[in-house]
């Protein structure tokens, strides 16, 4: 009983440290935003903090900034936060994209994204941007990419069995991401597709990123290899990692 209480206290402290670290990273990223910019708005809890802070900045500094959301969720939050939106069709360039990540390789700055299943739109917006900035708390930094976090693939539902076969041929360990709350069956993405999570050797991430996308039925994978800057939030400071 006593042990249970101690464990609960410790984990809530860890959670608040992670929250402070996410805030620190988001606040640092806000400094990069200037009047007139078009900004890619990432998805996930860390990006959500950035989006709310950006809404505040637009309001208090009376600047003109347009956002391009990467998911249904970031679109809703941007609208609630008072950020005017544009679509990809309406702009020639995105000045900066700010997004979260599930794992960051400290040396190469390659990432795994897609914990929220939004990586297809995230990659389109993040790769199209002039500058791609990643926000993470320090728990996301790893020495070996993909050991603990699987790479998600967005897959056309009709092709799941052929995609699974192709993945097994590559000695990968695939599993269909299931919805365990409020819906039976698989997680369905914003684009109406399913997610297959896969543990696969990431010794050469660029090659694996290309190869996975060559499997018919795979729309996009969650390996991101074109990152300009990573802002790592710690509870009491930020650390900047650049290529
Ligand atoms: C969503 C993502 C997120 O950026 C990633 O899962 C990190 O989320 P969080 O900031 O909540 O830890 O890739 O598809």
């Amino acid at each position: 009983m006593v042990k249970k209480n101690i464990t609960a206290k410790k984990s809530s402290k860890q959670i608040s440290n992670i929250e402070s670290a996410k805030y620190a990273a988001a606040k640092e990223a806000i400094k990069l935003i200037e009047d007139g910019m078009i900004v890619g708005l990432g998805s996930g809890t860390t990006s959500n903090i950035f989006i709310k802070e950006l809404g505040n900045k637009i309001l208090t500094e009376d600047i003109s900034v347009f956002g391009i959301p990467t998911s249904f969720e970031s679109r809703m939050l941007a609208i609630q936060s008072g950020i005017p939106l544009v679509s990809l069709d309406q702009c020639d360039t995105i000045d900066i994209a700010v997004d979260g990540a599930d794992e960051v390789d400290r040396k190469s700055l390659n990432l795994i994204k897609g914990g929220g299943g939004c990586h297809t739109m995230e990659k389109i917006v993040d790769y199209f941007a002039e500058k791609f900035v990643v926000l993470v708390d320090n728990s996301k930094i790893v020495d070996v990419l993909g050991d603990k976090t699987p790479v998600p693939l967005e897959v056309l539902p009709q092709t799941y069995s052929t995609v699974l076969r192709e993945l097994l041929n590559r000695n990968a360990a695939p599993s269909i991401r299931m919805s365990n709350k409020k819906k039976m069956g698989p997680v369905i993405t914003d684009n109406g597709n399913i997610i297959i999570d896969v543990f696969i050797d990431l010794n050469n991430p660029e090659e694996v990123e290309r190869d996975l996308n060559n499997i018919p039925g795979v729309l996009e994978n969650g390996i991101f290899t074109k990152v300009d800057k990573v802002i790592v939030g710690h509870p009491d400071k930020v650390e900047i990692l650049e290529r």
Side-chain angles (χ1 to χ4, degrees):
M1 189 68 176
V2 172
K3 197 174 174 205
K4 218 176 181 181
N5 282 340
I6 290 168
T7 312
K9 256 191 192 158
K10 203 175 173 194
S11 76
S12 80
K13 190 174 175 212
Q14 276 169 343
I15 289 168
S16 85
N17 275 346
I18 288 176
E19 283 309 302
S20 310
K22 287 178 183 180
Y23 262 97
K27 291 245 183 206
E28 188 67 23
I30 284 291
K31 295 180 190 164
L32 302 172
I33 308 300
E34 293 167 13
D35 191 17
M37 278 186 164
I38 295 181
V39 182
L41 305 172
S43 303
T45 53
T46 320
S47 296
N48 285 352
I49 299 170
F50 172 80
I51 292 171
K52 287 184 196 160
E53 290 293 323
L54 181 60
N56 275 338
K57 184 178 169 94
I58 293 171
L59 189 71
T60 53
E61 296 179 21
D62 195 24
I63 54 171
S64 167
V65 170
F66 288 90
I68 298 196
T70 53
S71 62
F72 188 87
E73 189 184 65
S74 65
R75 181 170 179 272
M76 274 199 320
L77 184 61
I79 292 168
Q80 284 162 13
S81 307
I83 303 172
L85 299 178
V86 281
S87 73
L88 274 177
D89 327 307
Q90 291 168 303
C91 56
D92 295 331
T93 184
I94 298 174
D95 297 291
I96 185 169
V98 180
D99 204 345
D102 299 301
E103 269 194 10
V104 178
D105 179 332
R106 175 178 280 283
K107 276 202 200 121
S108 65
L109 304 192
N110 293 325
L111 318 173
I112 294 178
K113 285 184 52 54
C118 320
H119 59 275
T120 300
M121 203 56 206
E122 290 175 327
K123 196 179 277 189
I124 292 167
V125 169
D126 296 345
Y127 276 22
F128 186 55
E130 296 284 312
K131 199 164 194 190
F132 173 25
V133 177
V134 174
L135 304 182
V136 285
D137 63 79
N138 50 325
S139 70
K140 305 285 186 67
I141 304 295
V142 297
D143 292 324
V144 183
L145 198 66
D147 262 10
K148 292 192 213 108
T149 304
V151 175
L153 312 181
E154 180 162 1
V155 173
L156 281 177
Q158 306 91 310
T159 65
Y160 85 90
S161 54
T162 49
V163 171
L164 284 176
R165 215 169 300 154
E166 286 287 340
L167 290 168
L168 290 169
N169 285 343
R170 286 163 170 78
N171 286 328
S175 60
I176 295 177
R177 194 182 293 182
M178 301 306 280
S179 165
N180 46 20
K181 273 191 197 159
K182 305 211 172 164
K183 180 194 170 288
M184 296 175 76
V187 166
I188 302 296
T189 68
D190 288 351
N191 311 311
N193 299 306
I194 61 164
I195 301 279
I196 296 181
D197 289 306
V198 57
F199 280 102
I200 190 165
D201 185 345
L202 289 182
N203 260 335
N204 188 340
E206 283 96 350
E207 197 179 298
V208 181
E209 182 183 9
R210 273 194 305 273
D211 176 54
L212 291 175
N213 280 0
N214 272 337
I215 301 174
V218 173
L219 262 95
E220 190 53 82
N221 67 77
I223 304 168
F224 283 57
T225 54
K226 295 186 177 116
V227 177
D228 295 306
K229 184 190 266 222
V230 179
I231 302 178
V232 188
H234 295 257
D236 52 351
K237 61 170 187 181
V238 288
E239 187 186 353
I240 310 285
L241 308 176
E242 264 170 308
R243 273 191 203 264

